[in-house]
Amino acid sequence: MTAEHRSETRAQRIALVALFAALMAAFGLIPKIDLPLGVPITAQTMGVMLAGCMLGAALGFQALLLFLAAVALGLPLLSGGRGGMGVFFLPSAGYLLSYPLAAAVAGLVMRSLAGKGPSSPMRLAACAFAASVLGGIVVVHVFGVLGLMLLAKLSFVQAAVGTLVFVPGDLVKCVLVALIVHTVARGLPDWRFGGRRL
């Protein structure tokens, strides 16, 4: 690989990281639904799932880390126009802090399931659904429950039961991610889902 090609590849990776961080911000424009638990229902976990499935573990992690860094600096990128360090001390902080790791897990699962060879759009969609469930639901909710226990002072049972209200909507997001992956796989068959090697 020439130095010029390496530089081009690096620029492409930086562009993808920035693009998916911006996509997370765009999902934040969709109005949130506030719940008594102190954790709103938002569309942004779908961005976490997409970043992992589309970019892979490393770039997905970087995209969500960039997004959270921008939020920490005060940019109002979370749903409802929220931002600043204060959001990391609210009951929803566990969910937010899970985003980079959740994207990484989704990326690892996507790459593992999709394999190294070409795959049909339908198979890739099924892989994306499974990756989204493991990364975007399991990882996010484990961190969410821990955050509720630490910051909202809920018991494990209260936090676990409280987080269940998000699961049906999150499953819908997993289906939407699978549909997006299916569409991209048909239009761009060389896309490296999950960072997989072709």
Side-chain angles (χ1 to χ4, degrees), residues 16-30:
L16 285 171
V17 166
L19 175 65
F20 275 80
L23 181 64
M24 279 293 292
F27 278 125
L29 297 175
I30 299 172

Side-chain angles (χ1 to χ4, degrees), residues 169-192:
D170 286 342
L171 287 171
V172 172
K173 294 171 194 172
C174 293
V175 171
L176 292 175
V177 169
L179 291 173
I180 291 170
V181 166
H182 182 273
T183 302
V184 173
R186 290 183 63 185
L188 298 170
D190 291 335
W191 188 278
R192 298 174 65 235

